[in-house]
Amino acid sequence: MGLYSTSSSALLIAFILYLVATFFFGGAIRQDKKERHQKTKAGTIGLVITIIGFISQIVYFITRWIYTGHAPVSNLFEFTTFLGMSMILAFIIIYSYYKTAFLGVFALPLATIIIAYASMFSTDAAPLVASLQSYWLPIHVSTVALGQGILFISFVAGLMYLIRQIDQTKLTLRNTMLELVIYGIFLFIGFIAVTTIFNAVSYQATFEVERNGQQIMAEYHLPPIAEPQDSTLLSENVMTPWFAAPDWMHGDEAGRKLNTVIWSFFAGTIIYGITMLISRKRIGKRLQPLLQGVKPDMLDEIMYRSVAIGFPVFTLGGLIFAAIWAQIAWGRFWGWDPKEVWALITWFFYAAFLHLRLSRGWHGEKSGWLAVVGFAIIMFNLIVVNLVLASLHSYA
Amino acid sequence: MNKIKCECGHINPEGTVLCEACGKPVEGNQHIDGNDDKKLLNMRYDGSARRSQTYQKSIVDKIWSFFSSVKVGVWLIVLALIASIFGTIFPQEQFIPQDAVSRDPAIFYEDRYGILGLMYYQLGFHHMYSSFWFITLLALIGISLVICSLDRFVPLYRALRNQRAKKHKKFLSRQRLYSESTNIHDNDIDKLVASLKNSRYKITEENGYILAEKGRFSRWGPYVNHIGLIIILLAGILRTTPIMFSEEYMWVREGEQRVIPGTNNQYYIENQEFILETHDQEDERFQGGSLEEEIATNFQTDVIIYEAENPDVVGAEPELEPILEYSIQMNNPAKFDKYTLYQQGYQLNEFKNMSFYIHDADDEAGESLGTFTIDLTNPESVYETDSGFRVELTNYYPDYVMTEEGTPVSETDFPRNPAFVVTVYPPDSDEGEVSFLGIGMNIDATGENQYKVAIDDVEFRDVSGITVSSDRTLPFFFVGAMIFMIGVIQGMYWQHRRVWINKQKDNSLLVAAHTNKNWHGIKRDIEKAVEGTNVTMVKDQQELDE
């Protein structure tokens, strides 16, 4: 198990280094206008630590590849981790061009959340199913992830723009929407927190479920608030479920997934509430003064440029390479599978974004909202399409 | 056509906003690009005369204006986007799962999703992407692409070809980046130009007026990528014709040789063996714990492809020439002529043939009185044993089920659960005895049979499901996609930058600059160029936080 544990440790080291780097970028923030574009020691250290973390993550990637014998991008854990790595790479590239420490303060923790989110899924090594056995696996997946990583930077810059610019003096629709986006990020943190806590205590509740006359087992690793439909609780000394998953939810896993979503909202809301209590303001309002030192048109440009760079990369990986591989594997380059459709929706969306911006002058705030929605679509494709909609691409 | 003559002498087409040569705003046309009460000029298409903005009288003009509008284009994209989302709420009809109550959409959606499912079906969302209106939407996007591109490309091309280095002061001062400097020595101008040249700007000089320009080709990016998209849409239309695209699905049993459908009897396939491999469960790398099921790591059909020498001769037995021996795997299709064969499905352990023996019903030991073998894909109607028994195959159900009414039927034509009604005639007898035989079944209809028929042996084989596809549109899609990529990279990764350096008669120096994007970059270029000179750095006249 030498390689496997090396691989896991390297990922953990990368994770910690990204968090450490965030603090250095935080220390590099200069509110004074004159110092704004100067290189700071803290910023350079932050970048160096990020790069070391990135190298450590590459070590994870290579050792896992050698261990399993295939590119580690084949299930939800592996892909999402790789997506986090692409986000870091995109950040390093954009940072070295714009040298703005503010970006690090936002991009690094968000990318770290993605990597933590990935680790909530099974990290076990598994052999590669026949349909994925092709050299197109690393080509297609890495290009998609890189494109999405670059588009992630546009989301970060867009979010920063909105936090910086939206009026927070009184409660409005716009700052409520912004707060909702921030709350959405807290839901991820909530999911990560509850999963980690109950994994640490090896919580388990088993249900026997009846499906089409057959008995199957459903394993819960979170206390069951919602139980599967038509099920009997087998485990003892666990929480009694409050209600059963409604019957319009289908699939053997529906109850467990609903339960996870409830827990994520529950924990996310509590963490958000505590943060609110400490900050005594809306989070958006609390963060706003932090961003006074960055020029909004710089954020606007980073946001637009990352779409301009990321859109072609995403098209190449998510549509063209995807189509070539689908032709080789399934004999059809396009089959309207939900994952394919959502890749097309993403493409449509960013195409509309570019047209609105280039031809209709949607700069600044409008662009910022579009960048946020665009990335929400990407996350929807990663999470909901994989876990909820039945798809040829459901690997986890 | 009313041509517009500018004071610089250049003759512009009707509808021009900024003179193609000197950039002077044309009086009376400023509302077209919304320059009226703005400090800065709208430089999007360099103020060129676009048909859609100029002629709005006839019906053709109106249609042209409609489709050339980016607003309309974006709306079409958004509608296609929303329609696509709706198509993923429930599975499309081709994805109705195997285990569904019925694969008939009229039943499936309501059964599984209730009233919402019924609405989904009735609205036709279950075949969203082949619906008339979705395809119409894509066609409208295609029309919009063509008209949009022509409306802008032609005048923009003209304007950029006719541009001069000498620009009108009104043009320069209303650029986003602009500065005026006084008492500038010619040395400083030379330095400025040399530095821009160093940054790979192309320098045009006309009577001391200077234009530094780079990356003009990036302006054509959008039009190039639109051409790529149009090719893809046209390829989609071509693909609906049988000459360009055909697809067939066939089942081939192990050991079977059959004609390949869709090839006009020209090609035959022989399935030598179907192989299904699963991962090695002893492999210690994959002992992580959560892995319980076997993972299929290989689906493979070893085939020989034959070409028929005389496929058109009716009735003649074709002479088959083997042309290809191949292992078709997932991700590794076989190709010959214009056809591609894909490993698509399989059926393990289909019954190949069953042998039976006849024995005396009273004989506990069941001593064989004669045997016969039924080939389940080509059953004969009568079998005779060496011992003189005659067995008539009265009824054959390859995939036997009993209906609710109690009648035996065959669910499919594949021998998955064979059952038979046989009539046994003992030697030298015309009195037959009827038995009903199946897997684990041996029913004596009358209860008075003297002889019993029992299963002796069963032989199995696998069946491969193979898709035969002939798709001549693939190169078109590929070329379209490549042109799209070239166009989008050309337009996105490069930018068109221009710096005008005009020394006025009063000896002041005007510097103005424009780029279609990435203002940060052009500012850096100019910053570098004015360093060490007396030229004033251009001021950004439009900052977002103003």
Side-chain angles (χ1 to χ4, degrees):
Chain A
M1 293 292 275
L3 268 178
Y4 187 75
S5 54
T6 309
S7 170
S8 310
S9 315
L11 183 61
L12 184 65
I13 291 167
F15 179 84
I16 294 165
L17 286 177
Y18 296 150
L19 286 180
V20 172
T22 307
F23 287 102
F24 279 95
F25 283 117
I29 286 179
R30 291 288 174 275
Q31 300 295 350
D32 190 344
K33 259 197 166 174
K34 281 177 199 143
E35 296 174 43
R36 211 187 263 160
H37 285 291
Q38 286 172 8
K39 260 198 200 167
T40 57
K41 206 172 233 171
T44 315
I45 295 171
L47 182 67
V48 170
I49 294 176
T50 311
I51 291 172
I52 295 171
F54 183 72
I55 292 168
S56 183
Q57 203 172 355
I58 289 177
V59 170
Y60 142 81
F61 188 76
I62 293 171
T63 46
R64 192 174 170 98
W65 189 329
I66 297 169
Y67 178 76
T68 59
H70 59 80
V73 287
S74 69
N75 61 27
L76 207 48
F77 159 68
E78 291 176 342
F79 174 73
T80 314
T81 307
F82 187 71
L83 177 62
M85 190 163 126
S86 313
M87 290 168 171
I88 300 286
L89 177 64
F91 164 72
I92 293 171
I93 294 167
I94 305 269
Y95 179 82
S96 50
Y97 193 78
Y98 288 98
K99 299 272 186 316
T100 171
F102 294 97
L103 193 63
V105 179
F106 283 80
L108 281 179
L110 289 173
T112 317
I113 288 175
I114 294 289
I115 295 171
Y117 173 78
S119 307
M120 299 303 113
F121 298 95
S122 166
T123 57
D124 293 335
L128 204 54
V129 297
S131 60
L132 295 185
Q133 289 187 9
S134 166
Y135 55 85
W136 283 101
L137 173 69
I139 298 174
H140 159 64
V141 178
S142 61
T143 320
V144 173
L146 185 62
Q148 294 181 339
I150 301 168
L151 293 170
F152 161 75
I153 299 297
S154 88
F155 159 74
V156 175
L159 185 65
M160 289 166 74
Y161 186 94
L162 296 176
I163 293 173
R164 165 89 165 67
Q165 291 300 89
I166 286 180
D167 178 33
Q168 293 280 7
T169 49
K170 58 175 190 290
L171 194 66
T172 60
L173 178 67
R174 285 148 74 222
N175 61 34
T176 311
M177 294 302 290
L178 176 62
E179 203 60 18
L180 264 176
V181 173
I182 296 171
Y183 173 69
I185 297 169
F186 273 89
L187 295 185
F188 274 85
I189 300 173
F191 169 75
I192 293 163
V194 286
T195 314
T196 311
I197 290 167
F198 287 105
N199 269 352
V201 299
S202 306
Y203 189 93
Q204 194 167 4
T206 310
F207 289 90
E208 193 178 64
V209 191
E210 197 180 314
R211 281 278 172 279
N212 305 328
Q214 281 181 324
Q215 302 294 329
I216 51 171
M217 297 294 168
E219 299 267 347
Y220 277 45
H221 297 287
L222 293 175
I225 294 175
E227 63 179 353
Q229 239 207 332
D230 306 322
S231 65
T232 341
L233 184 58
L234 298 181
S235 310
E236 285 170 11
N237 299 324
V238 295
M239 189 180 138
T240 320
W242 296 358
F243 62 93
D247 61 356
W248 50 264
M249 291 186 157
H250 289 275
D252 302 337
E253 300 282 296
R256 189 181 60 76
K257 285 171 184 170
L258 176 67
N259 195 54
T260 308
V261 170
I262 293 170
W263 269 105
S264 305
F265 269 91
F266 183 64
T269 309
I270 288 178
I271 298 171
Y272 175 79
I274 293 171
T275 317
M276 271 277 267
L277 276 179
I278 295 171
S279 83
R280 309 179 66 86
K281 281 175 186 163
R282 288 188 296 276
I283 313 297
K285 193 171 182 177
R286 168 59 64 193
L287 291 172
Q288 191 169 39
L290 187 75
L291 283 170
Q292 287 315 305
V294 64
K295 273 206 260 174
D297 68 331
M298 155 92 94
L299 291 174
D300 184 65
E301 185 167 318
I302 293 174
M303 162 176 49
Y304 167 60
R305 280 212 101 189
S306 31
V307 174
I309 298 170
F311 177 72
V313 178
F314 177 79
T315 310
L316 187 67
L319 295 170
I320 298 178
F321 287 164
I324 294 173
W325 188 14
Q327 179 69 37
I328 294 168
W330 296 317
R332 91 288 184 287
F333 55 87
W334 190 260
W336 299 105
D337 172 75
K339 192 94 182 182
E340 293 174 348
V341 176
W342 276 93
L344 182 69
I345 289 168
T346 311
W347 186 83
F348 274 147
F349 184 85
Y350 281 102
F353 176 114
L354 289 169
H355 282 94
L356 287 169
R357 185 168 176 113
L358 293 170
S359 294
R360 304 208 55 86
W362 280 36
H363 292 250
E365 195 184 322
K366 284 177 177 171
S367 253
W369 283 116
L370 291 179
V372 169
V373 174
F375 191 69
I377 293 176
I378 291 175
M379 292 318 279
F380 185 91
N381 201 358
L382 174 66
I383 298 164
V384 182
V385 175
N386 263 323
L387 298 178
V388 181
L389 304 178
S391 160
L392 288 172
H393 285 75
S394 305
Y395 300 123
Chain B
M1 286 235 270
N2 306 311
K3 301 271 185 194
I4 303 162
K5 190 171 178 192
C6 179
E7 67 175 45
C8 70
H10 184 73
I11 298 179
N12 293 294
E14 187 183 353
T16 301
V17 182
L18 305 173
C19 168
E20 292 173 337
C22 76
K24 186 186 178 221
V26 174
E27 244 170 77
N29 280 350
Q30 293 312 299
H31 62 282
I32 295 176
D33 277 352
N35 293 334
D36 278 331
D37 42 5
K38 293 272 169 61
K39 186 182 172 201
L40 299 182
L41 292 173
N42 178 349
M43 286 289 288
R44 198 159 291 137
Y45 305 105
D46 268 52
S48 58
R50 288 186 288 140
R51 188 191 194 288
S52 61
Q53 306 298 313
T54 311
Y55 306 103
Q56 313 220 334
K57 287 199 190 93
S58 72
I59 182 87
V60 177
D61 296 340
K62 290 214 165 101
I63 291 173
W64 183 277
S65 295
F66 178 78
F67 280 111
S68 72
S69 153
V70 171
K71 209 188 212 166
V72 170
V74 170
W75 268 112
L76 291 172
I77 292 176
V78 170
L79 286 176
L81 186 156
I82 293 169
S84 302
I85 291 178
F86 273 94
T88 62
I89 294 177
F90 298 139
Q92 291 289 297
E93 64 181 341
Q94 69 268 32
F95 296 122
I96 294 176
Q98 297 282 350
D99 63 358
V101 176
S102 166
R103 302 200 72 190
D104 178 359
I107 298 166
F108 169 75
Y109 288 96
E110 192 181 2
D111 173 73
R112 185 162 287 197
Y113 303 106
I115 181 75
L116 287 176
L118 182 66
M119 281 166 64
Y120 198 77
Y121 168 71
Q122 283 172 344
L123 288 169
F125 287 179
H126 64 296
H127 51 77
M128 173 73 77
Y129 309 111
S130 49
S131 68
F132 174 74
W133 62 273
F134 189 80
I135 289 167
T136 308
L137 208 50
L138 294 184
L140 290 177
I141 291 177
I143 294 168
S144 165
L145 280 173
V146 174
I147 294 182
C148 245
S149 305
L150 285 176
D151 189 60
R152 289 163 173 78
F153 170 73
V154 177
L156 180 64
Y157 180 80
R158 263 185 64 107
L160 289 178
R161 202 187 49 191
N162 291 330
Q163 68 172 340
R164 301 261 172 75
K166 182 186 175 184
K167 288 288 181 187
H168 197 276
K169 191 175 176 184
K170 274 186 185 161
F171 175 85
L172 295 175
S173 63
R174 292 175 74 185
Q175 292 300 317
R176 182 170 157 185
L177 299 181
Y178 176 67
S179 77
E180 288 180 33
S181 324
T182 42
N183 299 322
I184 300 300
H185 200 270
D186 279 351
N187 277 348
D188 276 355
I189 298 179
D190 290 344
K191 249 189 190 168
L192 189 69
V193 170
S195 166
L196 288 173
K197 208 169 190 170
N198 233 341
S199 307
R200 291 194 302 274
Y201 281 79
K202 229 180 87 192
I203 310 293
T204 321
E205 195 176 340
E206 291 164 8
N207 311 321
Y209 296 97
I210 296 157
L211 163 65
E213 183 179 16
K214 82 172 179 188
R216 191 198 286 187
F217 80 103
S218 88
R219 290 298 278 271
W220 317 132
Y223 313 108
V224 173
N225 84 47
H226 286 176
I227 290 171
L229 292 176
I230 291 161
I231 292 174
I232 289 174
L233 289 174
L234 291 177
I237 295 174
L238 277 183
R239 203 163 184 271
T240 58
T241 64
I243 316 161
M244 299 304 285
F245 174 72
S246 72
E247 194 175 81
E248 302 274 350
Y249 190 72
M250 63 176 169
W251 288 102
V252 199
R253 300 182 166 90
E254 277 178 333
E256 184 190 16
Q257 188 187 60
R258 61 164 290 182
V259 68
I260 301 178
T263 64
N264 296 322
N265 299 330
Q266 198 188 351
Y267 293 102
Y268 283 70
I269 186 171
E270 183 184 332
N271 180 351
Q272 294 191 294
E273 195 186 2
F274 173 77
I275 300 165
L276 170 64
E277 282 169 319
T278 54
H279 83 278
D280 176 10
Q281 289 192 304
E282 302 299 305
D283 192 335
E284 57 182 31
R285 289 179 302 166
F286 305 126
Q287 298 298 319
S290 66
L291 193 69
E292 283 155 15
E293 21 182 329
E294 287 191 330
I295 290 181
T297 52
N298 188 25
F299 303 106
Q300 175 176 331
T301 309
D302 292 342
V303 298
I304 300 174
I305 307 294
Y306 299 91
E307 184 169 8
E309 295 293 316
N310 47 354
D312 298 328
V313 183
V314 180
E317 198 57 18
E319 279 172 45
L320 298 180
E321 185 72 35
I323 54 162
L324 178 70
E325 211 168 310
Y326 204 83
S327 297
I328 303 175
Q329 290 170 305
M330 193 128 201
N331 280 309
N332 186 13
K335 288 178 189 168
F336 60 92
D337 194 358
K338 59 185 193 206
Y339 303 103
T340 314
L341 303 183
Y342 298 92
Q343 175 66 47
Q344 205 88 34
Y346 64 92
Q347 172 86 49
L348 291 183
N349 299 332
E350 186 187 85
F351 292 90
K352 184 183 180 194
N353 49 41
M354 292 173 90
S355 355
F356 300 88
Y357 66 97
I358 303 168
H359 66 91
D360 204 306
D362 301 331
D363 181 4
E364 293 283 326
E367 195 194 331
S368 170
L369 301 175
T371 63
F372 62 94
T373 301
I374 299 179
D375 179 340
L376 295 169
T377 42
N378 284 311
E380 286 166 40
S381 54
V382 178
Y383 295 88
E384 281 183 35
T385 68
D386 294 339
S387 50
F389 279 91
R390 208 161 63 85
V391 181
E392 228 178 67
L393 190 56
T394 317
N395 252 320
Y396 170 40
Y397 310 98
D399 192 1
Y400 160 79
V401 283
M402 185 70 89
T403 64
E404 280 171 21
E405 292 84 46
T407 21
V409 290
S410 188
E411 217 172 17
T412 66
D413 291 337
F414 304 108
R416 289 170 185 160
N417 181 27
F420 316 87
V421 176
V422 292
T423 315
V424 180
Y425 295 93
D428 310 319
S429 167
D430 290 336
E431 291 286 310
E433 297 180 358
V434 179
S435 292
F436 187 68
L437 306 173
I439 309 299
M441 268 187 328
N442 193 340
I443 299 163
D444 170 358
T446 56
E448 293 168 357
N449 285 357
Q450 194 189 340
Y451 298 100
K452 250 185 137 160
V453 183
I455 296 173
D456 187 20
D457 195 15
V458 180
E459 258 190 272
F460 297 98
R461 64 180 160 190
D462 301 335
V463 193
S464 296
I466 294 195
T467 299
V468 188
S469 149
S470 156
D471 192 344
R472 300 197 217 210
T473 62
L474 292 179
F476 295 95
F477 281 105
F478 188 76
V479 166
M482 284 308 105
I483 292 176
F484 174 81
M485 280 311 295
I486 290 169
V488 88
I489 287 173
Q490 180 181 347
M492 290 287 153
Y493 290 10
W494 276 271
Q495 49 289 123
H496 182 210
R497 294 175 180 170
R498 278 175 292 174
V499 183
W500 295 277
I501 303 158
N502 285 3
K503 195 169 180 179
Q504 302 299 95
K505 294 218 172 71
D506 61 3
N507 238 358
S508 65
L509 183 74
L510 307 185
V511 178
H514 179 260
T515 177
N516 58 342
K517 60 176 169 296
N518 187 12
W519 294 83
H520 190 76
I522 194 171
K523 277 188 223 169
R524 286 215 296 206
D525 284 351
I526 301 171
E527 226 158 56
K528 210 167 75 187
V530 298
E531 213 175 68
T533 70
N534 285 322
V535 180
T536 318
M537 175 59 194
V538 290
K539 189 178 173 296
D540 192 339
Q541 308 196 74
Q542 178 215 313
E543 289 214 315
L544 284 166
D545 57 344
E546 63 194 77

mmCIF file of all heavy atoms in Angstrom, chain A residues 35-48:
data_model
loop_
_atom_site.group_PDB
_atom_site.id
_atom_site.type_symbol
_atom_site.label_atom_id
_atom_site.label_comp_id
_atom_site.label_asym_id
_atom_site.label_seq_id
_atom_site.Cartn_x
_atom_site.Cartn_y
_atom_site.Cartn_z
ATOM 1 N N GLU A 35 0.193 51.423 -2.637
ATOM 2 C CA GLU A 35 0.924 50.158 -2.498
ATOM 3 C C GLU A 35 0.269 49.016 -3.262
ATOM 4 O O GLU A 35 0.801 47.924 -3.316
ATOM 5 C CB GLU A 35 1.003 49.769 -1.010
ATOM 6 C CG GLU A 35 1.792 50.744 -0.169
ATOM 7 C CD GLU A 35 1.703 50.361 1.300
ATOM 8 O OE1 GLU A 35 1.817 49.162 1.592
ATOM 9 O OE2 GLU A 35 1.505 51.253 2.135
ATOM 10 N N ARG A 36 -0.905 49.323 -3.803
ATOM 11 C CA ARG A 36 -1.749 48.274 -4.342
ATOM 12 C C ARG A 36 -1.043 47.344 -5.334
ATOM 13 O O ARG A 36 -1.166 46.147 -5.285
ATOM 14 C CB ARG A 36 -2.918 48.952 -5.021
ATOM 15 C CG ARG A 36 -4.163 48.153 -4.984
ATOM 16 C CD ARG A 36 -5.167 48.860 -5.829
ATOM 17 N NE ARG A 36 -6.051 49.703 -5.038
ATOM 18 C CZ ARG A 36 -6.752 50.704 -5.561
ATOM 19 N NH1 ARG A 36 -6.602 51.008 -6.834
ATOM 20 N NH2 ARG A 36 -7.562 51.410 -4.814
ATOM 21 N N HIS A 37 -0.297 47.926 -6.244
ATOM 22 C CA HIS A 37 0.275 47.079 -7.289
ATOM 23 C C HIS A 37 1.711 46.676 -7.011
ATOM 24 O O HIS A 37 2.378 46.117 -7.860
ATOM 25 C CB HIS A 37 0.162 47.777 -8.638
ATOM 26 C CG HIS A 37 -1.237 47.734 -9.151
ATOM 27 N ND1 HIS A 37 -1.822 46.584 -9.564
ATOM 28 C CD2 HIS A 37 -2.163 48.707 -9.259
ATOM 29 C CE1 HIS A 37 -3.066 46.834 -9.924
ATOM 30 N NE2 HIS A 37 -3.300 48.123 -9.740
ATOM 31 N N GLN A 38 2.156 46.987 -5.804
ATOM 32 C CA GLN A 38 3.517 46.571 -5.492
ATOM 33 C C GLN A 38 3.528 45.109 -5.115
ATOM 34 O O GLN A 38 2.591 44.593 -4.530
ATOM 35 C CB GLN A 38 4.039 47.399 -4.314
ATOM 36 C CG GLN A 38 4.369 48.815 -4.719
ATOM 37 C CD GLN A 38 4.703 49.665 -3.505
ATOM 38 O OE1 GLN A 38 4.829 49.147 -2.403
ATOM 39 N NE2 GLN A 38 4.838 50.947 -3.741
ATOM 40 N N LYS A 39 4.641 44.508 -5.466
ATOM 41 C CA LYS A 39 4.811 43.130 -5.034
ATOM 42 C C LYS A 39 5.040 43.128 -3.533
ATOM 43 O O LYS A 39 5.809 43.915 -3.026
ATOM 44 C CB LYS A 39 6.060 42.555 -5.718
ATOM 45 C CG LYS A 39 5.749 41.709 -6.921
ATOM 46 C CD LYS A 39 6.984 40.870 -7.203
ATOM 47 C CE LYS A 39 6.977 40.361 -8.611
ATOM 48 N NZ LYS A 39 8.298 39.835 -8.959
ATOM 49 N N THR A 40 4.372 42.255 -2.838
ATOM 50 C CA THR A 40 4.632 42.190 -1.409
ATOM 51 C C THR A 40 5.261 40.844 -1.095
ATOM 52 O O THR A 40 5.051 39.869 -1.804
ATOM 53 C CB THR A 40 3.325 42.305 -0.610
ATOM 54 O OG1 THR A 40 2.465 41.265 -1.044
ATOM 55 C CG2 THR A 40 2.644 43.638 -0.831
ATOM 56 N N LYS A 41 6.012 40.849 -0.014
ATOM 57 C CA LYS A 41 6.676 39.620 0.379
ATOM 58 C C LYS A 41 5.637 38.532 0.693
ATOM 59 O O LYS A 41 5.747 37.399 0.253
ATOM 60 C CB LYS A 41 7.533 39.878 1.628
ATOM 61 C CG LYS A 41 8.696 38.915 1.742
ATOM 62 C CD LYS A 41 9.608 39.334 2.866
ATOM 63 C CE LYS A 41 11.050 39.462 2.377
ATOM 64 N NZ LYS A 41 11.923 40.069 3.393
ATOM 65 N N ALA A 42 4.595 38.942 1.430
ATOM 66 C CA ALA A 42 3.570 37.966 1.813
ATOM 67 C C ALA A 42 2.920 37.351 0.576
ATOM 68 O O ALA A 42 2.652 36.151 0.529
ATOM 69 C CB ALA A 42 2.519 38.626 2.695
ATOM 70 N N GLY A 43 2.672 38.187 -0.445
ATOM 71 C CA GLY A 43 2.057 37.690 -1.672
ATOM 72 C C GLY A 43 2.943 36.678 -2.360
ATOM 73 O O GLY A 43 2.481 35.625 -2.843
ATOM 74 N N THR A 44 4.253 36.981 -2.413
ATOM 75 C CA THR A 44 5.191 36.052 -3.056
ATOM 76 C C THR A 44 5.243 34.735 -2.293
ATOM 77 O O THR A 44 5.212 33.660 -2.898
ATOM 78 C CB THR A 44 6.602 36.681 -3.106
ATOM 79 O OG1 THR A 44 6.455 38.027 -3.548
ATOM 80 C CG2 THR A 44 7.493 35.921 -4.046
ATOM 81 N N ILE A 45 5.275 34.837 -0.953
ATOM 82 C CA ILE A 45 5.299 33.604 -0.158
ATOM 83 C C ILE A 45 4.033 32.794 -0.417
ATOM 84 O O ILE A 45 4.067 31.583 -0.620
ATOM 85 C CB ILE A 45 5.434 33.927 1.359
ATOM 86 C CG1 ILE A 45 6.792 34.581 1.622
ATOM 87 C CG2 ILE A 45 5.290 32.658 2.196
ATOM 88 C CD1 ILE A 45 6.936 35.124 3.029
ATOM 89 N N GLY A 46 2.893 33.504 -0.455
ATOM 90 C CA GLY A 46 1.618 32.843 -0.725
ATOM 91 C C GLY A 46 1.660 32.090 -2.037
ATOM 92 O O GLY A 46 1.245 30.927 -2.126
ATOM 93 N N LEU A 47 2.212 32.737 -3.068
ATOM 94 C CA LEU A 47 2.280 32.093 -4.380
ATOM 95 C C LEU A 47 3.171 30.860 -4.332
ATOM 96 O O LEU A 47 2.826 29.804 -4.864
ATOM 97 C CB LEU A 47 2.798 33.087 -5.431
ATOM 98 C CG LEU A 47 2.856 32.530 -6.845
ATOM 99 C CD1 LEU A 47 1.450 32.248 -7.367
ATOM 100 C CD2 LEU A 47 3.575 33.488 -7.787
ATOM 101 N N VAL A 48 4.344 31.019 -3.657
ATOM 102 C CA VAL A 48 5.279 29.889 -3.572
ATOM 103 C C VAL A 48 4.619 28.705 -2.860
ATOM 104 O O VAL A 48 4.693 27.560 -3.327
ATOM 105 C CB VAL A 48 6.580 30.315 -2.861
ATOM 106 C CG1 VAL A 48 7.442 29.098 -2.545
ATOM 107 C CG2 VAL A 48 7.357 31.291 -3.737
#
